[in-house]
Amino acid sequence: MTIRRFSAAVFAATLLTPGLAACDSTGTGEAGASASPTVSGSAAPGSASPGTADAKQALLNSTNEIRNGNFRFTMTGVGTTAEGQVHQPSQSAQIKLSIGDASSDVSMKLDLVHLKPDSWVKLDLGGQAAKLPGVQGLNLGKYQHLDQSRIKGNRNLGFDFEKVDPAGSEVLTQGVTEVRQTGDGAYAGTIDVSKAAEAGSLNAELIKALGQQAQSVPFTAKLDPQGRLSELVVQIPAAGQNKAQDIRITYADYGAATAAQRPPADQVVEAPSELYNLFN
């Protein structure tokens, strides 16, 4: 297996898209055991009951504070975890991604730091990934300074401070098709994810694999006492070779995140061409 094939099969399919990473896992998730939540009450075709409209508006409003770009977040799927912080006031962000663990055949960790106009990535590989030809030239364990002209438009290595939410929860909530309030600040329903390929928590290939199921994917959501989104769980059903799974997104520390820190100079090297080839 060459480093190029490794990129296409693993990295490009998983970076910042825990949903697709989980599809390659042997885990089963919890979605397969869940029935699709439905809206209580009935309404004429093409219309929504007042309660439904209010619930959906609450979800739409819950993502407004995310746009201010000052929060911490997590995204998890089977075998994949992403966590980090966005701090728009300092034009900075940090994202840490972990796929697999020490017992996995392939494991990797990435630490991405963005402090506009600079970006760095630290890459660690475990298991068979660490033995692949060419990885010795990737400066593993060092923060590799990235040439912005070479990562422009690259969702794996870049960060768009105009679209500050790595998970894309605003896109997801706009796709809500059915919803009901299940408790204080708690909601459940279905999302049409077929139009959510721009959400960082989903991947176009995963959506395609779902087929018709993509139009009615169960979800639950929680809002904090201020009405801001604190948790969104999208319950992806099994589709083809893909196992059922839950994609869980959380937000915290609204308005209280901290600026990302520039890596220490003695831990920084310039990224080699091999790194850009890996992620392109």
Side-chain angles (χ1 to χ4, degrees):
M1 178 183 290
T2 65
I3 199 72
R4 186 70 177 178
R5 288 180 59 195
F6 180 69
S7 168
V10 182
F11 277 94
T14 56
L15 291 180
L16 302 188
T17 53
L20 187 58
C23 287
D24 295 326
S25 172
T26 57
T28 59
E30 300 175 356
S34 302
S36 299
T38 58
V39 180
S40 57
S42 60
S47 65
S49 66
T52 300
D54 291 345
K56 183 169 183 178
Q57 191 59 52
L59 287 177
L60 293 173
N61 292 343
S62 74
T63 65
N64 290 343
E65 184 64 25
I66 296 175
R67 295 191 209 116
N68 291 330
N70 193 331
F71 57 86
R72 298 187 64 83
F73 72 94
T74 68
M75 291 189 289
T76 59
V78 180
T80 306
T81 300
E83 62 179 348
Q85 63 200 46
V86 177
H87 192 254
Q88 183 74 289
S90 63
Q91 294 277 275
S92 70
Q94 183 168 14
I95 301 171
K96 294 183 179 182
L97 177 72
S98 178
I99 301 172
D101 55 34
S103 63
S104 303
D105 288 340
V106 175
S107 65
M108 62 203 79
K109 293 182 179 180
L110 289 97
D111 184 356
L112 284 153
V113 179
H114 305 283
L115 188 58
K116 204 170 181 178
D118 292 301
S119 295
W120 302 263
V121 61
K122 182 167 72 170
L123 173 66
D124 290 293
L125 302 176
Q128 295 300 314
K131 301 176 183 178
L132 291 172
V135 299
Q136 291 77 14
L138 293 178
N139 296 311
L140 300 181
K142 291 279 190 177
Y143 283 96
Q144 304 184 59
H145 182 254
L146 300 169
D147 180 344
Q148 296 299 304
S149 68
R150 301 181 72 172
I151 65 170
K152 187 176 182 180
N154 187 318
R155 292 182 64 180
N156 296 331
L157 295 179
F159 189 86
D160 186 351
F161 282 97
E162 299 298 319
K163 299 177 182 178
V164 296
D165 182 12
S169 291
E170 182 176 8
V171 175
L172 289 170
T173 56
Q174 288 174 348
V176 167
T177 53
E178 294 182 315
V179 61
R180 60 187 172 90
Q181 187 166 0
T182 58
D184 187 15
Y187 299 85
T190 56
I191 297 177
D192 181 354
V193 301
S194 65
K195 302 175 183 177
E198 289 303 310
S201 50
L202 295 176
N203 182 281
E205 291 302 316
L206 171 60
I207 295 171
K208 181 179 179 181
L210 290 173
Q212 291 280 336
Q213 294 184 97
Q215 298 177 19
S216 186
V217 175
F219 80 94
T220 61
K222 295 179 182 178
L223 277 53
D224 68 13
Q226 289 73 43
R228 303 169 301 195
L229 186 65
S230 60
E231 179 185 85
L232 178 63
V233 180
V234 183
Q235 300 166 340
I236 305 295
Q241 298 298 312
N242 301 328
K243 303 291 186 179
Q245 61 186 284
D246 284 355
I247 297 175
R248 183 174 182 266
I249 305 162
T250 69
Y251 298 90
D253 294 339
Y254 284 108
T258 56
Q261 299 299 305
R262 184 183 298 268
D266 62 353
Q267 296 183 29
V268 172
V269 296
E270 286 297 320
S273 295
E274 289 86 349
L275 183 80
Y276 300 104
N277 292 338
L278 179 67
F279 287 93
N280 287 331

